[in-house]
Amino acid sequence: MGCGSCSTGGGCSPAGCKSNGSCLTNGCSKLDVYDWLSHMDMPTNYKPFGIIEVKFKGSRKEFFLNSDNIYLEAGELVVVEAATGGYDVGHVSITGELVRMQMVKRRVKEEDVVKKIYRKATVADVDKWKAAKDLEWETMHKSRTLALQLNLSMKLSDVDYQGDKTKATFYYTAEGRVDFRELIKKMAETFRIRIEMRQIGMRQEASRLGGIGSCGRELCCSTWLTDFKTVSTSAARYQNLSLNTLKLAGQCGKLKCCLNYELDTYMDALKHIPDNVNVLKTERGDARLQKTDIFKKLMWFSYPREESWIPLPISRVKEIQQMNRDGVIPADLGEVVEVETKPVKVLDYENVVGQDSLTRLDERRNQNKKKNKNRNKGPKPNGPAEGGNTPRPDASAAPNQGLQAPKQGDGKPQQGGNPNRNKNFRPNRNNQNRPDGNRGGQPDKQ
């Protein structure tokens, strides 16, 4: 289904319009559920389950009574009863027996569901809902300005308008309790709607805003993860990760949820690895544990004042550990496992640069500097000109003498300079590129 509320235009995916559940065509919502019971035939006397699960913006899902037995399918827009009066618009998430299982999972009883589904959304309902969603961005920025004017230590992260445009829910994060009574008064006067303030955590804020993680993919909490489990630093210790908060923390400032993804696999592998094996005593010296390869079941030890590490299998480590407990000290660590090293892959292309030195450009630059330095070396002030024994012109001469040829009676400059100059005269090399075109120097006086 093409997305009609964003600029992608085509089939929407979690990387599409990034609306996190507010896409009007329900093409990129992270709360989509696979109905694995849809292809199964129900009995002839089967009565459909009378409760429907509806999803809204963000990760909000609620259950509603389908008292009128309206035929609904997943993804349809429906008008439902709001909790504080009025109505709201949302997408149908799942129907049928799968709703019953979700209610058991979330520990919701059937008698606790009292809100109803009014009807399928009409064109007028959708237009009003779109108009309400278009006001969210401007409303959030205005409310942030009001919070700054009141010097409130809170951060407004998102706004969710109700479908009938009569109520707005503001989600904010704060370190402690915030007295926002004055803020609610000013927002009610500005926006002319009912205001509800709801405090959320840092992880909920990241899931609503979205972003790109350090792995290069979209955040799990903004695409598919809906329930947040506790993450502790022990999960990083079991996986032999460095306890660097900059690497272990996500964009929410908390520990990354993905630390729990592979924790069970590591815990199963750690059952076969002995504990408290920091030092193994041998006659050669105390071998200290340097590294543990959990899945290869290897433990690396090193002797004092030696740089090489010795890999040992877990069976040998347990054997030496038991010998130390019995008071027996072996001569050395014993058998050493040969660790296979992957051969270096030879690239099948030629180096077009060649085997030149990395400092070849520096050497060439130094040679050019030497040449320029020798070229710019001028003769002494009273010494002979370079390239001959011709003396330099008298210092008492006019400053412009030698730069311009003397004029004759017709007022035109003489092309060859002094006609009586010596034929063996050699000009100074430093005067070859003159701006006036005279490439010679002051001729010798006869």
Side-chain angles (χ1 to χ4, degrees), residues 334-373:
E335 59 174 323
V336 178
V337 178
E338 295 183 1
V339 181
E340 297 181 0
T341 57
K342 296 182 179 180
V344 180
K345 184 178 180 181
V346 180
L347 302 177
D348 54 350
Y349 67 89
E350 295 182 0
N351 187 2
V352 296
V353 179
Q355 301 297 329
D356 293 338
S357 174
L358 295 176
T359 60
R360 63 187 185 280
L361 300 178
D362 298 337
E363 296 175 355
R364 190 175 302 172
R365 190 179 298 110
N366 294 334
Q367 293 177 1
N368 294 336
K369 286 183 179 180
K370 290 181 180 179
K371 289 181 180 179
N372 294 333
K373 188 176 181 180

Side-chain angles (χ1 to χ4, degrees), residues 155-439:
K155 178 185 176 184
L156 291 167
S157 59
D158 197 10
V159 181
D160 187 8
Y161 264 86
Q162 198 168 280
D164 56 358
K165 207 164 56 173
T166 59
K167 176 188 172 184
T169 304
F170 292 81
Y171 297 91
Y172 71 95
T173 56
E175 295 181 357
R177 296 182 62 87
V178 179
D179 186 8
F180 45 75
R181 289 176 293 181
E182 187 67 24
L183 177 62
I184 292 178
K185 292 180 182 179
K186 289 193 174 184
M187 287 194 298
E189 294 175 358
T190 304
F191 307 122
R192 300 293 179 181
I193 54 175
R194 290 182 288 115
I195 305 297
E196 180 183 354
M197 305 294 293
R198 185 171 298 178
Q199 186 174 2
I200 58 176
M202 297 297 181
R203 291 183 175 176
Q204 286 79 9
E205 181 188 18
S207 67
R208 299 186 74 90
L209 298 180
I212 304 297
S214 58
C215 57
R217 300 172 62 91
E218 285 192 77
L219 299 180
C220 297
C221 55
S222 64
T223 52
W224 62 271
L225 186 63
T226 56
D227 53 340
F228 300 97
K229 296 182 180 179
T230 304
V231 185
S232 60
T233 54
S234 59
R237 293 192 183 96
Y238 288 133
Q239 301 177 49
N240 288 340
L241 299 176
S242 61
L243 299 179
N244 188 351
T245 56
L246 296 177
K247 294 183 178 180
L248 297 180
Q251 292 190 2
C252 57
K254 306 295 183 180
L255 292 175
K256 294 180 181 179
C257 298
C258 56
L259 292 177
N260 285 339
Y261 294 169
E262 300 178 354
L263 182 60
D264 294 337
T265 305
Y266 276 89
M267 296 298 293
D268 293 338
L270 285 171
K271 294 180 180 178
H272 307 285
I273 296 179
D275 299 332
N276 301 325
V277 196
N278 296 326
V279 178
L280 294 179
K281 296 182 179 180
T282 61
E283 295 179 358
R284 187 177 173 183
D286 294 343
R288 295 188 174 274
L289 178 65
Q290 299 294 339
K291 186 181 71 171
T292 302
D293 197 331
I294 299 176
F295 296 108
K296 291 184 178 180
K297 298 181 179 180
L298 293 177
M299 303 182 73
W300 300 73
F301 292 85
S302 66
Y303 288 110
R305 295 181 297 275
E306 291 187 9
E307 297 181 357
S308 60
W309 292 2
I310 302 173
L312 293 178
I314 294 177
S315 58
R316 177 59 180 172
V317 174
K318 291 181 179 180
E319 181 181 352
I320 297 178
Q321 188 180 19
Q322 185 62 36
M323 293 172 65
N324 293 153
R325 291 173 183 172
D326 298 338
V328 180
I329 299 177
D332 54 6
L333 294 177
E335 59 174 323
V336 178
V337 178
E338 295 183 1
V339 181
E340 297 181 0
T341 57
K342 296 182 179 180
V344 180
K345 184 178 180 181
V346 180
L347 302 177
D348 54 350
Y349 67 89
E350 295 182 0
N351 187 2
V352 296
V353 179
Q355 301 297 329
D356 293 338
S357 174
L358 295 176
T359 60
R360 63 187 185 280
L361 300 178
D362 298 337
E363 296 175 355
R364 190 175 302 172
R365 190 179 298 110
N366 294 334
Q367 293 177 1
N368 294 336
K369 286 183 179 180
K370 290 181 180 179
K371 289 181 180 179
N372 294 333
K373 188 176 181 180
N374 295 332
R375 184 179 300 172
N376 294 331
K377 276 185 179 180
K380 294 182 180 180
N382 296 327
E386 185 179 352
N389 297 326
T390 305
R392 294 179 60 84
D394 191 2
S396 63
N400 294 331
Q401 190 175 1
L403 296 177
Q404 191 174 8
K407 296 183 179 180
Q408 294 182 355
D410 54 357
K412 295 181 179 180
Q414 188 175 355
Q415 298 292 333
N418 192 350
N420 298 324
R421 69 177 184 177
N422 190 0
K423 294 181 178 179
N424 296 327
F425 169 72
R426 294 183 180 178
N428 191 351
R429 292 183 181 178
N430 294 331
N431 299 328
Q432 288 182 357
N433 296 325
R434 293 267 184 164
D436 56 356
N438 186 5
R439 301 186 61 177

